[in-house]
Amino acid sequence: ARASNFERYRVILASQWQWSRIVIVLGTIAGFAIPVLSVQGASGNERALPPDALLSWLQSWGILYPLLAAGIGLLVAMGAWAPDHRGRHVHALSLPIDRWRYVLLRMLAGLTVILLPIAAVWVGAVFATSTATIPEGLQGYAWALGLRFALATVVAFAVFFAISGGTARTAGLILGCIGVLIAAQVMISAAGVELDLLGGVGQLVFNWPGPLALFAGRWMLIDV
């Protein structure tokens, strides 16, 4: 049974990769590039930014991390269910496997492919902080940033995966609305503007211990 489950996982993983490979490749490149490019102001030359200006510069780049995490989670989750939606779930329902086990294998396959951009952010953050000249009084948080990005990506994938399991039209409408609201709220929060687009629901969702609290607040590769 274990070998059979592994073979099913391998087949589903291949299908997941086929539908999500462009997103994963682009997300991996972006995940490595964002932290590396964000520390150009701490290059150590005569044009290096002072600490306060550097923090402001890094805060502006920090908006990209939660947006990338949400985007990867959204698109990979949609790709996870794309073959089933295309075939109207006929193939999935005809398999000699419990529905809950099939869903679990699909989710594990999605979590497997998002490891690549997660690893890219961590490697890029470590490389960026190790090559940049960090001003006195500041320090790098490569591990913390990488862990936060990993958790945010997994949470986004899990939420969108659950929603994408419905009909394609319903999932598209819900995912589109949620994606736009999350992106707007993240950008507003990162910019320091006190505007809640979702009212009381937003407070419960985006403030700790809300499920999407990871996406709010500042994402800083270098901080005090």
Side-chain angles (χ1 to χ4, degrees), residues 59-60 63 184-196 216-218:
Q59 184 174 353
S60 64
I63 300 174
Q185 187 65 58
V186 166
M187 296 182 67
I188 290 172
S189 298
V193 178
E194 296 184 359
L195 177 61
D196 188 358
R218 303 197 313 167

Side-chain angles (χ1 to χ4, degrees), residues 7-17 102 105-106 109:
E7 286 299 320
R8 294 189 183 104
Y9 165 77
R10 186 179 61 81
V11 172
I12 292 175
L13 178 60
S15 173
Q16 176 73 74
W17 173 254
Y102 176 79
L105 291 174
R106 275 233 172 268

Side-chain angles (χ1 to χ4, degrees), residues 81 84-85 89 99 160-172 174:
W81 290 107
D84 290 326
H85 288 320
H89 298 268
R99 181 63 176 175
F160 293 132
F161 181 85
I163 297 173
S164 297
T167 63
R169 181 176 182 180
T170 301
I174 296 176

Side-chain angles (χ1 to χ4, degrees), residues 92-208:
L93 293 175
S94 65
L95 293 175
I97 182 176
D98 295 332
R99 181 63 176 175
W100 70 266
R101 195 184 302 275
Y102 176 79
V103 173
L104 179 61
L105 291 174
R106 275 233 172 268
M107 188 170 190
L108 289 176
L111 291 173
T112 300
V113 298
I114 65 175
L115 290 177
L116 288 175
I118 288 174
V121 170
W122 175 77
V123 173
V126 171
F127 177 79
T129 53
S130 62
T131 57
T133 302
I134 302 178
E136 185 177 356
L138 302 180
Q139 56 181 326
Y141 293 94
W143 285 88
L145 181 67
L147 177 60
R148 185 178 182 182
F149 181 83
L151 294 174
T153 306
V154 170
V155 168
F157 171 76
V159 171
F160 293 132
F161 181 85
I163 297 173
S164 297
T167 63
R169 181 176 182 180
T170 301
L173 290 174
I174 296 176
L175 290 173
C177 293
I178 292 178
V180 170
L181 287 175
I182 289 178
Q185 187 65 58
V186 166
M187 296 182 67
I188 290 172
S189 298
V193 178
E194 296 184 359
L195 177 61
D196 188 358
L197 297 178
L198 302 178
V201 176
Q203 294 291 331
L204 294 175
V205 173
F206 286 98
N207 290 344
W208 183 259

Side-chain angles (χ1 to χ4, degrees), residues 61-84:
W61 279 89
I63 300 174
L64 300 179
Y65 295 108
L67 292 179
L68 180 62
I72 291 173
L74 169 62
L75 296 177
V76 173
M78 294 179 66
W81 290 107
D84 290 326

